[in-house]
Amino acid sequence: MKIISFEKEYGAFIDTKTTKFTSNRILMDANEIRMGYMYLGNDDKIPFHEALADQLFMIVSGEGWVCDEDENRISLSSGKAAFWKKGEFHAAGTDSQMSALVIEGKNLNSQNVPVLKNVITSY
């Protein structure tokens, strides 16, 4: 048995003019599905960008916000997720802290990612 850490200190810190967060890639190039764990701290954000693949952004702890091209922020906390289809513009961030599990890939749908059936309409 091996014990593995995906804690923040093992991740890659990304800090540019517009982006600031720490990421641990969990799965890469497994039939074109990637999985990662992101840590966003006080005022960290992922700026507007186009989804290069379908993307499920699952908040595991903390709280933050997500938005699509309309730029209206929707507050979400642990247990909630945002899903963007390939080509959709979106952003995410937090005023405090948030950790998210992110799954990206081709043709993610409710058949191969059953949690996508759990759509909620009130936030």
Side-chain angles (χ1 to χ4, degrees), residues 26-38:
I26 294 173
L27 178 67
M28 294 182 68
D29 298 324
N31 293 325
E32 301 186 55
I33 295 174
R34 296 171 302 282
M35 203 164 129
Y37 197 83
M38 295 182 174

Side-chain angles (χ1 to χ4, degrees), residues 49-57 68-69 82-90 103 105-110 112 116:
H49 64 285
E50 182 178 359
L52 300 177
D54 296 345
Q55 185 179 91
L56 180 61
F57 187 84
D68 55 16
E69 52 217 19
F83 180 67
W84 297 285
K85 293 295 286 177
K86 179 181 178 179
E88 285 187 282
F89 282 85
H90 64 283
I103 301 170
K106 278 187 175 180
N107 303 314
L108 298 183
N109 58 59
S110 61
N112 59 19
L116 292 177

